[in-house]
Amino acid sequence: MDKQTDIALDWVAAMAGAERATLGERVQSLWSGYGEIRRVHLAAGPVASVIVKHVRPPGPGHGHPRGWSGDRSHARKLRSYEVELAWYQTWAARCHAGCRVPRCVGVDQLADGLVLVLEDLDEAGFPGRRGGLDDAELDACLRWLAAFHARFMGDEPRGLWPVGTYWHLETRPDELAVMRPGALRDAAAAIDERLNACVHQTLVHGDAKVANFCFDRREARGPHSGARVAAVDFQYVGGGCGVKDVAYFLGSCLSERQLERRADALTDAYFGHLRAALRRERPELDAEAIEREWRSLCMFAWADFERFLAGWSPGHAKQTGFSARMTHAALHALAHEAP
């Protein structure tokens, strides 16, 4: 936006139905130097501000915070922004209040990148960003995931990643190559195949960490009302089994001790929300069959992400005793399958 600020701001104002737009604060830089997210303030329009995500790739070989760079990494990131563009152009409008996402105000593809103009979720009533979650917020995120998975159950991920999640094995051969030899590395393809062969496919968010959820104001909640939440960052949305999102989300916001104490109960809560969402959204589907299959894949979802971390950042804080135990269970199940 810096090179053509006046032109860009005029365009943003027009997209938002406002008379004028002024550049506001930087919300954040994009991962690995691929652009930035800014708030833009509006005058004489239907809303006071919008969020502008300006993707401006630095080129192949640009430095990576953890040392991963190169043509393959660069191509994956470029594809991720193409997917996010497709998400907002084609899919996002199908989300309802139960799986709230920002409304797409406008898009522009530039010679050196792209611009997404999105609803400002702060103004829409979701100003909260969290590191840790209270019980109401944990439940709200699980409810959001269940509603999202129910909403897109059985849909073909046209324009999105064929297999969602940023750690998908096919997109991470470099990380696999540097893994320490052992049972998890040997079983990586079998774990991936088990998840991809899931009969009941949906769309997965693909990066459902706590940082990508926006929360309502705690002080505005009534004594008997739950938290409300919206989700952002759809660079890795695509096809898959919903428990991949669930495992990754729980690992993103719970400590090792909390996982040991609460992961099973929270997984149960997710499936309760999924059953309810399927009754509302897709009553013709067999919710019990979906739950049986997805429960059987939970350990493989944990093992799949553990495989990624073992190559990408060995010793990462998300490699917990709980994830190790789930990975061991998945490897044991594979080893004892009938030939």
Side-chain angles (χ1 to χ4, degrees), residues 89-243:
Q89 287 183 313
T90 306
W91 294 87
R94 290 182 54 193
C95 289
H96 50 59
C99 49
R100 183 74 154 81
V101 302
R103 181 176 61 87
C104 182
V105 176
V107 301
D108 193 14
Q109 292 183 281
L110 309 174
D112 64 344
L114 63 90
V115 177
L116 290 170
V117 183
L118 303 172
E119 176 185 21
D120 187 345
L121 288 175
D122 282 15
E123 183 179 295
F126 300 92
R129 309 295 183 268
R130 305 283 187 259
L133 304 181
D134 62 27
D135 287 351
E137 290 161 347
L138 268 170
D139 190 66
C141 291
L142 293 171
R143 214 176 335 113
W144 188 98
L145 288 173
F148 184 81
H149 296 152
R151 184 62 168 163
F152 296 105
M153 190 70 70
D155 283 359
E156 196 72 28
R158 287 182 290 273
L160 309 177
W161 293 97
V163 179
T165 72
Y166 72 82
W167 60 92
H168 176 224
L169 180 64
E170 185 178 344
T171 67
R172 296 290 184 166
D174 297 331
E175 290 82 352
L176 179 66
V178 300
M179 278 182 68
R180 180 181 301 175
L184 181 55
R185 179 175 172 176
D186 292 344
I191 292 167
D192 180 62
E193 183 180 352
R194 178 64 65 89
L195 290 166
N196 294 342
C198 173
V199 173
H200 302 100
Q201 296 271 332
T202 185
L203 295 187
V204 295
H205 178 284
D207 192 7
K209 60 189 174 187
V210 65
N212 284 334
F213 286 98
C214 305
F215 299 85
D216 63 352
R217 294 181 177 83
R218 284 174 173 162
E219 63 273 15
R221 297 177 201 158
H224 304 294
S225 63
R228 295 188 308 125
V229 67
V232 297
D233 198 350
F234 287 87
Q235 290 173 229
Y236 292 94
V237 61
C241 170
V243 292

Side-chain angles (χ1 to χ4, degrees), residues 34-49:
Y34 275 66
E36 65 178 4
I37 299 175
R38 301 287 291 258
R39 178 168 281 107
V40 170
H41 301 286
L42 303 171
V47 295
S49 60

Side-chain angles (χ1 to χ4, degrees), residues 243-265:
V243 292
K244 293 199 289 187
D245 276 340
V246 177
Y248 178 67
F249 167 70
L250 293 178
S252 80
C253 63
L254 298 180
S255 68
E256 180 165 0
R257 184 180 178 188
Q258 289 172 323
L259 284 169
E260 293 290 353
R261 291 174 53 236
R262 304 193 63 188
D264 289 346

